[in-house]
Amino acid sequence: QIDTTLDAPAFDATSYTAETQRLAELGIHIKSLAVLMESDPDWEQKLYALQSVARRDIPRKPGVRATDITIEQWRKLTFTSDLRPKLWMVAVTDDGAYVGTGNLWIRDVAGEIGDNGFLGVLRSYRRRGVARILKVALIRAAQKEGLRVINTGNKADIPMLQLNLQL
């Protein structure tokens, strides 16, 4: 595993404005879970369904498959004391479909260090920049919430490592 650390306050997101706009023109918008919890009555079922599908695509050792979890198990894993809905982003289409998600978990007492959680995009929406803009939105949210550092761990042979190194 390769660990990367991002200095959140030093990150300048302005170079990603055009890409964010391009996604919006394609009908894909990044919204925080905090916003979705207030505006979408079906947010929980949609997020669970998205993560259930996206988890199956996580690169794994040969012969190892993802195990499905029930919505009750998912709730228990997700709704912990360090859940921060402002630090959870979802890519949402114009018609309300959830197509990508990523989040940060706060693990330190001071609330200044974020650890990247699961980030996944449905296969049919990959190679459009959704993951990159989800990550940028997470960094912007981290800046607003006063985080100093964002830590990420990736296996050396997956594309997400390259994205984290670029950012």
Side-chain angles (χ1 to χ4, degrees):
Q1 176 160 311
I2 297 175
D3 296 323
T4 57
T5 301
L6 182 117
D7 178 354
F11 184 80
D12 181 6
T14 56
S15 63
Y16 298 95
T17 303
E19 192 169 1
T20 302
Q21 180 60 36
R22 184 185 56 76
L23 273 184
E25 290 168 2
L26 293 173
I28 303 169
H29 310 276
I30 308 300
K31 299 182 179 184
S32 74
L33 182 57
V35 167
L36 293 171
M37 290 170 90
E38 292 184 10
S39 64
D40 184 350
D42 298 323
W43 70 269
E44 186 179 42
Q45 185 61 42
K46 287 178 178 179
L47 187 58
Y48 167 72
L50 167 62
Q51 286 196 299
S52 294
V53 171
R55 280 181 71 250
R56 294 182 197 123
D57 267 350
I58 295 173
R60 300 178 195 285
K61 293 178 183 175
V64 176
R65 292 182 31 205
T67 55
D68 290 330
I69 61 174
T70 66
I71 195 165
E72 291 80 18
Q73 292 169 318
W74 176 78
R75 284 181 186 128
K76 188 174 183 180
L77 293 169
T78 302
F79 300 109
T80 63
S81 62
D82 53 352
L83 171 69
R84 302 289 192 280
K86 290 181 182 179
L87 295 174
W88 193 313
M89 298 296 154
V90 181
V92 182
T93 64
D94 283 342
D95 64 358
Y98 291 16
V99 300
T101 186
N103 67 310
L104 298 174
W105 297 102
I106 306 301
R107 304 278 190 217
D108 70 310
V109 176
E112 296 180 337
I113 300 172
D115 291 335
N116 265 302
F118 173 71
L119 189 135
V121 176
L122 296 179
R123 277 186 186 265
S124 59
Y125 285 86
R126 291 184 186 163
R127 302 285 176 224
R128 299 183 197 189
V130 176
R132 180 176 16 268
I133 299 308
L134 276 167
K135 296 270 276 176
V136 169
L138 284 167
I139 297 166
R140 286 178 172 159
Q143 290 170 329
K144 289 178 186 174
E145 294 297 307
L147 273 70
R148 291 183 304 103
V149 173
I150 299 173
N151 296 316
T152 306
N154 294 110
K155 293 180 181 174
D157 59 346
I158 63 170
M160 191 58 67
L161 173 61
Q162 292 307 312
L163 174 56
N164 287 321
L165 292 172
Q166 289 169 6
L167 294 172

